[in-house]
Amino acid sequence: MNIREQKKKLRMQVKAEIEPYSQGWILEQSKIIVQHILNSTDYQNANVIFCYVSFGKEVNTIPILKHALKTGKRVGVPLCTGKGIMEVREIHSLKDLKSGAYGILEPKKQTTRMEKADIDYGIIPCVSADRQGRRLGHGAGFYDRYLEGAHFTKVILCFEEIMTLEVPVDEHDIEMDQVVSQTGILTCSG
């Protein structure tokens, strides 16, 4: 089985594992993960953050976005602009978001583009992760392409229950600096 097939199989397995958990459980466990982020020195020292908008059974990132906006940080949110192509747009309020592809909230078209070099701290989505900072994404490659050459702290949020021993990777996959679960922040050597 090649890497692509291994990832596809693992994605299906993880989605089946998270399925029985209620939205209430997702929100409660997300609060614990969010608190680890808000208490972290890396987040607190960041002036410009990049954060995905959660969807479905992902760790709820809305409280992070609200906190960052309230505390005066510059906030960037991903906008998919083409097949496998993503850019980060600056928002000043959650009202700058609208429902986009697949019902996922994304920045409105009139928002301004944020330069990758300006970002201090990025919160990246995952289907699953391992403790070495390897991320299993949704499979479209948007984030790995965007993160190539990025110099900001890259953080993934993952429920402990769906973390895996080892995520299969290929040369295009970008390793993360930190994995945050309910048990805390794990700094990865990369």
Side-chain angles (χ1 to χ4, degrees), residues 91-105:
I91 64 166
H92 302 284
S93 152
L94 293 182
K95 291 177 182 162
D96 289 340
L97 301 172
K98 67 171 182 59
S99 185
Y102 312 107
I104 300 170
L105 289 176

Side-chain angles (χ1 to χ4, degrees), residues 103-155:
I104 300 170
L105 289 176
E106 63 183 25
K108 293 177 180 174
K109 298 288 184 229
Q110 68 269 25
T111 54
T112 55
R113 191 167 172 234
M114 182 180 274
E115 295 304 316
K116 193 186 321 187
D118 293 342
I119 300 169
D120 301 314
Y121 186 86
I123 299 173
I124 316 301
C126 71
V127 173
S128 184
D130 64 24
R131 288 172 177 17
Q132 290 72 45
R134 292 181 292 247
R135 164 187 172 271
L136 180 66
H138 292 278
F142 286 101
Y143 284 88
D144 287 316
R145 281 186 200 91
Y146 182 79
L147 293 172
E148 200 170 311
H151 297 291
F152 54 82
T153 302
K154 296 174 285 302
V155 180

